[in-house]
Amino acid sequence: MGIDCLCIGGAAVDRSFRLVGPAVLGTSNIASSDSGLGGVARNVAESLARLGARTALLTAVGADPAGWELVERLTAIGVDAGLVQVVPGGTTAEYVAVLDPDGELVIGVNAMDVIARLGPEDVAEAPLEEARWVFAECNLGADALAAVIGHRRAGGGFRLAVDAISVAKAARLPADLSGVDLLCGNADEANAILGTDRPPTLEGALLLARGLVERGAAAAMVSIGAAGCVVASGAAAWSIGAVPARVVDVTGAGDARIAGTIAALLDGEPIELAARRGSLLAALAAESPATIDPALTRQRVAALSGRLAEAAITELPS
């Protein structure tokens, strides 16, 4: 039957702490707390599965209660968890987000050591050629990322999307980005990859997206928060407005943007329309207290398609 998208990377326990007032460094802050399951690759896999895509996840978890719960819940929502490696003595990855009173991220902290156990040999054994798309992210080590990109570069029949994840982990990407069909990141991450200092503005994001394409990526999507994102593909580029959201918790919104974009690409939409659908999913994720909106379905996205008009597409000069 094949796989619509094989996701490779992190799966984690998510914990969030929402401050009741402005953050004060160097002392204890009063907050409310919540927890759930996350990890970028896991979040993208769950979103795609909820949208009806045939999805599989290659990750590593500890042989602990969180790891077994993660596997069980993946299976329950329709993600193929047969590739998940349960590591004896390992500890399932954890992500902690501190949010301001409006739900915006103040600081995020992750402990993803178990994911480093995934190496080039695991990539070599993965069913890459059974997938229409492969999604990989920079929680993987540089050697595993290089193996995925190298397989695509050598003529792999799948298409490859990569998420830079963070400024620190973006350094795991190779200098030559050929083989990456879609590279996703924010302005800070794109600057880290390119060694530049462009501002997180429309003009800055345009230069960054084009810089990533010049490095070899077939297309690049650079997000700039409430201003939306810029997409470059070949010589063309577009700005995609954000869908306004009543923010509850921004955790997972970027992952939802990527999942929505991949889902639309699977449907055959061009990159600029795919990115606009990604903007809608990012808004739905930000409006949910859960990392991935449990009400997410293909039918719900279709019913809310009127909100896409708020994400204006503007072709940018070459």
Side-chain angles (χ1 to χ4, degrees):
M1 183 172 64
I3 302 167
D4 289 320
C5 188
L6 169 61
C7 299
I8 309 175
V13 175
D14 273 357
R15 305 188 194 281
S16 63
F17 295 86
R18 189 177 184 128
L19 303 175
V20 300
V24 180
L25 300 181
T27 189
S28 177
N29 289 254
I30 299 172
S32 59
S33 64
D34 198 4
S35 64
L37 297 179
V40 173
R42 195 216 69 88
N43 290 345
V44 171
E46 176 176 345
S47 296
L48 286 169
R50 290 188 181 279
L51 293 171
R54 298 165 298 179
T55 309
L57 176 65
L58 170 58
T59 190
V61 300
D64 52 22
W68 293 118
E69 180 187 2
L70 195 148
V71 171
E72 291 172 3
R73 287 180 56 179
L74 282 170
T75 303
I77 60 175
V79 176
D80 183 348
L83 298 173
V84 176
Q85 298 184 10
V86 180
V87 180
T91 301
T92 298
E94 186 170 1
Y95 172 76
V96 177
V98 178
L99 309 171
D100 69 17
D102 295 324
E104 297 290 343
L105 183 66
V106 176
I107 189 170
V109 180
N110 68 74
M112 300 276 183
D113 289 350
V114 72
I115 310 303
R117 292 177 178 265
L118 296 177
E121 65 281 0
D122 300 297
V123 171
E125 295 173 2
L128 300 176
E129 292 298 333
E130 296 179 23
R132 295 172 60 193
W133 274 86
V134 171
F135 169 73
E137 40 100 329
C138 291
N139 279 314
L140 293 171
D143 53 353
L145 275 170
V148 179
I149 295 170
H151 193 104
R152 173 64 177 125
R153 191 183 293 159
F158 56 91
R159 296 179 71 190
L160 175 62
V162 176
D163 185 16
I165 297 293
S166 71
V167 169
K169 294 181 179 179
R172 298 173 180 177
L173 286 166
D176 178 5
L177 297 173
S178 61
V180 178
D181 294 284
L182 175 62
L183 180 59
C184 306
N186 62 27
D188 289 339
E189 293 154 1
N191 273 314
I193 294 167
L194 295 172
T196 54
D197 190 24
R198 307 292 188 189
T201 60
L202 178 62
E203 294 77 11
L206 174 59
L207 291 171
L208 290 166
R210 286 191 167 141
L212 295 172
V213 170
E214 289 171 3
R215 281 282 187 93
M221 181 167 65
V222 178
S223 59
I224 43 178
C229 67
V230 169
V231 175
S233 178
W238 303 265
S239 67
I240 314 296
V243 173
R246 298 174 295 279
V247 175
V248 174
D249 184 344
V250 297
T251 305
D255 306 339
R257 178 190 298 278
I258 293 170
T261 301
I262 292 174
L265 291 169
L266 285 166
D267 288 342
E269 292 192 8
I271 185 64
E272 68 274 19
L273 295 182
R276 185 174 67 161
R277 197 192 303 182
S279 289
L280 174 57
L281 262 73
L284 296 179
E287 291 173 346
S288 172
T291 301
I292 301 301
D293 183 359
L296 181 65
T297 62
R298 192 178 186 91
Q299 292 74 20
R300 182 166 180 249
V301 172
L304 296 173
S305 60
R307 294 180 65 179
L308 290 172
E310 300 174 285
I313 300 175
T314 303
E315 187 166 2
L316 300 173
S318 57

